[in-house]
Amino acid sequence: MRILISLLAGSLFGAGLLISGMTDTTKVQGWLDVFGNWDPTLAFVMGGAILPMLIAWRMTTHRAPLAGGQFPKMSPPELDRRLIIGSVMFGMGWGLAGLCPGPAIASITYGGLGGLVFLVAMIAGMFAAPGLGAQLDRTANAA
C-alpha cells in the first residue's frame, strides 16, 4: 500500500512539474530574470504548492498517515550559516541550469545530455555536502 501511495504521489508531482512548465529551463530562468524578460507565471506554481502544503501540515495534527507510522513534526525555523550557504548555492545552480532536483529528475527522460550532466552534478553535490558542512563547522569553531 505504501509503495502504491508513493508511486501515485510521485507521478502526480512529476505530472504537475511537467504541466506547470517547471521542467522547461528557459521558463524557470525567465522567472529568475527580474531585471530582463521576467516571466511571473511560476509564482502561481509556487503558490499552488505552498498553500496546499500549509493546509496539509495543519490537517495532520492529531492524525496518522494511511500507510502507517507518524507524520513528521514541523521543525523549528533555524537560520544559520549552513542554511544560508546552502540556499545561495541552490539558487545559483537553479539560476544557471534552470533546474532544481524535482524537475531535473522529471526531465531526465527527455532533457538530453544537459539534464544528465545536471543530475550527475546534483548527486555529486549531495555526496559532498556532509563533508563540506563538517569542514564549515570546524572552520567556524576554530575562529
Side-chain angles (χ1 to χ4, degrees), residues 83-103:
L83 177 65
I84 293 169
I85 291 171
S87 299
V88 167
M89 291 180 69
F90 178 90
M92 288 179 0
W94 194 31
L96 289 171
L99 288 170
C100 61

Side-chain angles (χ1 to χ4, degrees), residues 4 12-13 17 22 27 30 33 43 51 58-59 61-62 67 71 87 90 93-94 101 106 108 112 124-125 132 136:
L4 184 62
L12 183 62
F13 180 68
L17 291 173
M22 289 291 290
K27 188 168 188 74
D33 188 10
L51 291 176
R58 299 293 180 222
M59 289 177 59
T61 307
H62 308 298
F71 287 114
S87 299
F90 178 90
W94 194 31
I108 195 67
L132 292 172
L136 277 174

Side-chain angles (χ1 to χ4, degrees), residues 2 56-57 60-74:
R2 188 177 206 144
W57 272 113
T60 60
T61 307
H62 308 298
R63 294 188 181 181
L66 291 175
Q70 293 181 342
F71 287 114
K73 302 290 182 205
M74 285 184 80

